[in-house]
């Protein structure tokens, strides 16, 4: 027979108390509410049932070491400043210091594996910390579900949607950021705006960016918003033909990578940026660009995202209950050098 993991309901039944009583004790909030004898009876039931306590129980029974783990599903831990996830780590570290927590970085990789994992032959590596901040573009859904089932305290950096599984996450507000960047083009005087993405509708963020740009354009009757061909990387002629057909004077690019390719096609075709065509980007990932070119668009405020993830986790560890929280952090506008008034407006 397959053994079933004991739950709080099992503990409550064995101790002859309600589940709410067990919850109060696990969260360290029983003082003045629960008699000491009842508290001891619940702890005894936990030991007899081999109940694997969640984060709150560990704080109660073992006392917290005030250590939070940081784990990434990326192949390499974000040590380098040009790593996309590095600013998140900075925000996490600064907020951990403010909250009075140490950080434990789970940096071990395995050359024999294509991805990193939380569960190894020796168990769950997060068992040694009070809670964890997780990040990575491609998390393992089964591991995340298991963490939720085990009632582990964690917050994910990034908007991740896993079927039949909900948990705390913090992410940049891409939709509002896209609206902000597109509004900037409109404020400069652009009324013919194109949108281009190298991977449209492939994920939540792609949809958010597109919808945010549409939101901004839809708020102005004078603005025409066009979806341009989704092949800026190899098909220059198709891109240029679409620009001419739609009479666009500015282009919203879903990423700096897309902007770099569009910029190359335009410049090699004699179209100057930003004098002839304005470009904005909806990410701030690092990309190689010609000297003096700095993408206009949005700044994802990643350090603030990391700090908020740590703050939310610390709040959980302090005893906050309730459903999972999903928090979006506002993006910031960055001027850059790739957006300007259209020639007609400037003249």
């Amino acid at each position: 027979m397959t053994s079933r993991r004991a739950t709080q309901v099992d503990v409550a039944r064995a101790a002859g108390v309600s589940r709410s009583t067990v919850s109060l004790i696990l969260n360290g909030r029983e003082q003045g509410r629960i008699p000491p004898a009842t508290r001891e009876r619940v702890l005894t039931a936990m030991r007899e049932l081999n109940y694997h306590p969640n984060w709150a129980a560990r704080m109660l029974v073992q006392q917290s070491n005030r250590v939070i783990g940081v784990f990434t599903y990326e192949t390499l831990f974000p040590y380098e400043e040009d790593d996309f996830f590095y600013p998140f780590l900075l925000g996490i570290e600064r907020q951990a210091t403010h909250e009075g927590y140490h950080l434990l970085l789970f940096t071990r990789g395995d050359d024999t594996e294509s991805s990193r994992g939380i569960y190894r032959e020796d168990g769950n590596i997060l068992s040694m910390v009070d809670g964890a901040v997780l990040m990575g573009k491609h998390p393992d859904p089964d591991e995340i579900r298991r963490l939720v089932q085990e009632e582990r305290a964690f917050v994910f950096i990034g908007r991740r949607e896993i079927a039949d599984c909900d948990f705390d996450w913090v992410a940049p507000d891409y939709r509002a950021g896209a609206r902000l960047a597109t509004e900037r083009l409109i404020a400069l005087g652009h009324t013919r705006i194109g949108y281009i993405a190298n991977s449209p509708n492939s994920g939540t963020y792609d949809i958010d960016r597109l919808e945010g740009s549409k939101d901004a354009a839809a708020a102005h009757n004078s603005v025409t918003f066009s979806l341009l061909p989704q092949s800026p990387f190899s098909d220059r002629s198709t891109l240029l033909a679409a620009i001419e057909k739609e009479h666009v004077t500015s282009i919203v690019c879903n990423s700096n990578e897309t902007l770099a390719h569009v910029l190359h096609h335009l410049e090699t075709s004699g179209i100057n940026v930003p004098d002839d065509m304005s470009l904005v980007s909806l990410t701030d990932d690092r990309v190689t660009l010609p000297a003096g070119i700095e993408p206009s668009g949005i700044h994802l405020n990643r350090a603030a995202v990391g700090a908020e993830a740590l703050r939310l986790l610390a709040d959980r560890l302090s005893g906050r209950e309730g459903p999972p929280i999903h928090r979006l952090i506002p993006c910031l506008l960055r001027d850059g050098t790739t957006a300007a008034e259209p020639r007609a407006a400037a003249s």
Side-chain angles (χ1 to χ4, degrees), residues 4 6 25 32 48 79 81 84 94 113 122 141-142 157 183 236 246 257 265 279 301 304 310 321 335:
R4 183 178 67 85
I25 294 173
E48 292 178 348
Y79 293 117
E81 291 186 19
F84 179 80
R94 291 168 183 165
E113 298 178 358
D122 51 353
D142 292 333
I157 287 183
E183 285 283 1
R236 181 177 65 174
E246 301 296 337
E257 183 183 18
H265 291 324
L279 305 178
N301 210 6
L310 196 289
E321 298 179 339
D335 291 332

Side-chain angles (χ1 to χ4, degrees), residues 84-96 99 133 135 155-158 169-173 284 299-313 327-332:
F84 179 80
F85 291 93
Y86 182 77
F88 294 124
L89 183 60
L90 287 182
I92 292 169
E93 193 278 332
R94 291 168 183 165
Q95 190 63 30
E99 300 285 350
V133 177
M135 51 188 171
V155 177
F156 206 100
I157 287 183
W169 56 253
V170 180
D173 192 342
D284 57 1
H299 172 61
L300 297 183
N301 210 6
R302 283 172 281 173
V305 173
E308 185 59 28
L310 196 289
R311 186 182 299 112
L312 180 58
L313 179 59
R327 193 158 289 163
L328 294 172
I329 303 302
C331 297
L332 306 176

Side-chain angles (χ1 to χ4, degrees), residues 20-35 39 55-57 59-60 315-322:
S20 61
T21 296
V22 175
S23 179
L24 284 172
I25 294 173
L26 290 178
N27 284 286
R29 294 161 56 188
E30 79 282 7
Q31 189 172 6
R33 303 181 183 182
I34 308 298
R39 177 182 183 276
W55 50 269
M59 292 173 65
L60 172 67
D315 193 25
R316 281 287 189 198
L317 293 173
S318 70
R320 176 179 58 80
E321 298 179 339

Side-chain angles (χ1 to χ4, degrees), residues 130-164:
D130 300 322
V133 177
L134 312 182
M135 51 188 171
K137 296 177 181 177
H138 304 290
D140 184 330
D142 292 333
E143 286 199 337
I144 300 300
R145 289 191 186 93
R146 188 171 173 182
L147 289 175
V148 172
Q149 291 170 355
E150 292 179 358
E151 299 176 333
R152 301 280 178 180
F154 72 93
V155 177
F156 206 100
I157 287 183
R159 182 177 172 182
R160 298 293 181 264
E161 297 178 353
I162 297 176
D164 303 320

Side-chain angles (χ1 to χ4, degrees), residues 84 159 172-182 195-216 225 252-256 258 281-285 298 300 331:
F84 179 80
R159 182 177 172 182
D173 192 342
Y174 277 100
R175 183 163 184 164
R179 187 165 58 246
L180 191 66
T182 307
Y195 183 95
I196 192 165
N198 60 322
S199 56
N201 300 328
S202 63
T204 301
Y205 290 151
D206 292 306
I207 296 173
D208 285 346
R209 287 187 282 241
L210 175 57
E211 292 304 313
S213 291
K214 284 183 175 179
D215 291 343
F225 185 82
V252 178
C253 302
N254 75 322
S255 69
N256 277 356
T258 300
S281 171
L282 303 184
T283 68
D284 57 1
D285 49 314
I298 61 171
L300 297 183
C331 297

